[in-house]
Amino acid sequence: MPPPDVPALVDHHCHSVLTAELADEDLAGLLTESDRPPAPGTSPFDSALGLAVRRWCPPALGLPAHAPAEEYLARRRELGAPEATRRLLAAAGLETCLVDTGLTAAAGRSLLPLDAFAEAAGVRVREVVRLERIAEAVAGPAGGWARAVHEALAAAASGAVAVKSVLAYRTGLEVPAERPGPAEVAAAAGEWLRAGGGRLTDRVLLHHLLWTAVDVCADLGLPLQLHTGFGDPDLTLHRADPSLLAGFVRAAEPTGVPLVLLHGYPYHRQAAWLAHVFPLVHTDLGLTASYVGPRVATVLGEMLELAPFGKLLFSSDAYGLPELYLVGAAQFRHGLGTLLDGWRADGACTAADAERLTRRVAAGNARRLYAL
């Protein structure tokens, strides 16, 4: 368990986990954003994230920190996946998890449903609704598709704490400030439906969806989360630069809907700038904190150069492996603690300032933003 003087965390963006037994190569495959097999002679454990896993996770399973990957995997098998999952999640010291339910499987196996995940983690769990997943389940006719999507999203989000978009993966984040017109949307919907539906990649429909999410979030008083920055190979990185959203942010301001920029890296400074200049924009570091390993304090410091202390939130973006929850939490606590120790030593802040900032970013900002 984390030290008692460290605040519990609200993980404001994450995914469920597996409790199935995994082959070593399948487990290692969840330690990378690549969806391809590793190059011959390499392993995802030989990375900054791999080092972080070996640093933080073995003690939760009764091994010394930095145990070799082979010993760690053997110990995990000895305990069994359900017990290892329970121990790793408990060691993360989480209070609440806001779970994006848009992903339902990892490594070819089903993720735990929300109630089972809550029991395994011993935390309060709330749902974040995936915008594109809801829309892709809506059938025709084309003329009524926009209304049907609005109704489906409103129903799905009525019990959730946020809506999330993965527009960055589909067409990128350069969203026009003007909403697509009804005739344009109906024509695009007709073409998509005649092609059999499926994965939405049409620019007009995706931009309409984003505005639909703004309308629904305004009605329900919910934030809208947006993936930004790096991810798997389905994404074209330069199109995921959050600064591309500036025009959309300006256009959406009158609605009062908070926009939450997830992850950001390597554009985390752009995300921090948007949070700095637009009152309704919030941001996090997300899975970046895990992936950059020993550089986490530096990257957090780069975000806090501009991001207001009340606008930065903690998330792990953990997916599939319980290890990623523990690593995300431990990296965040260690990185922020290291950063603030340096600030204090330099006379930039007091101990009280550092404690207040830590508690806000760890949980307080998320509690306020999501009305937890």
Side-chain angles (χ1 to χ4, degrees), residues 254-319:
T255 69
V257 172
L259 303 175
V260 190
L261 309 179
L262 307 173
H263 321 319
Y265 189 85
Y267 308 110
H268 50 289
R269 280 174 156 149
Q270 283 92 318
W273 168 75
L274 286 163
H276 179 84
V277 297
F278 293 108
L280 291 173
V281 173
H282 297 68
T283 190
D284 75 7
L285 193 59
L287 76 169
T288 300
S290 298
Y291 272 84
V292 299
R295 294 278 294 171
V296 61
T298 299
V299 180
L300 265 171
E302 289 169 351
M303 290 205 80
L304 288 170
E305 289 167 355
L306 284 182
F309 302 158
K311 310 285 283 301
L312 183 65
L313 296 88
F314 164 75
S315 79
S316 66
D317 194 30
Y319 162 64

Side-chain angles (χ1 to χ4, degrees), residues 187-238:
E191 185 174 343
W192 175 68
L193 290 165
R194 283 191 297 273
R199 187 174 186 267
L200 270 171
T201 58
D202 182 89
R203 187 174 298 273
V204 170
L205 295 184
L206 289 167
H207 293 168
H208 170 74
L209 279 182
L210 197 61
W211 281 108
T212 300
V214 169
D215 293 339
V216 168
C217 287
D219 290 342
L220 297 177
L222 302 180
L224 173 58
Q225 299 180 345
L226 298 123
H227 177 100
T228 69
F230 82 117
D232 66 47
D234 191 35
L235 177 149
T236 301
L237 186 57
H238 72 275

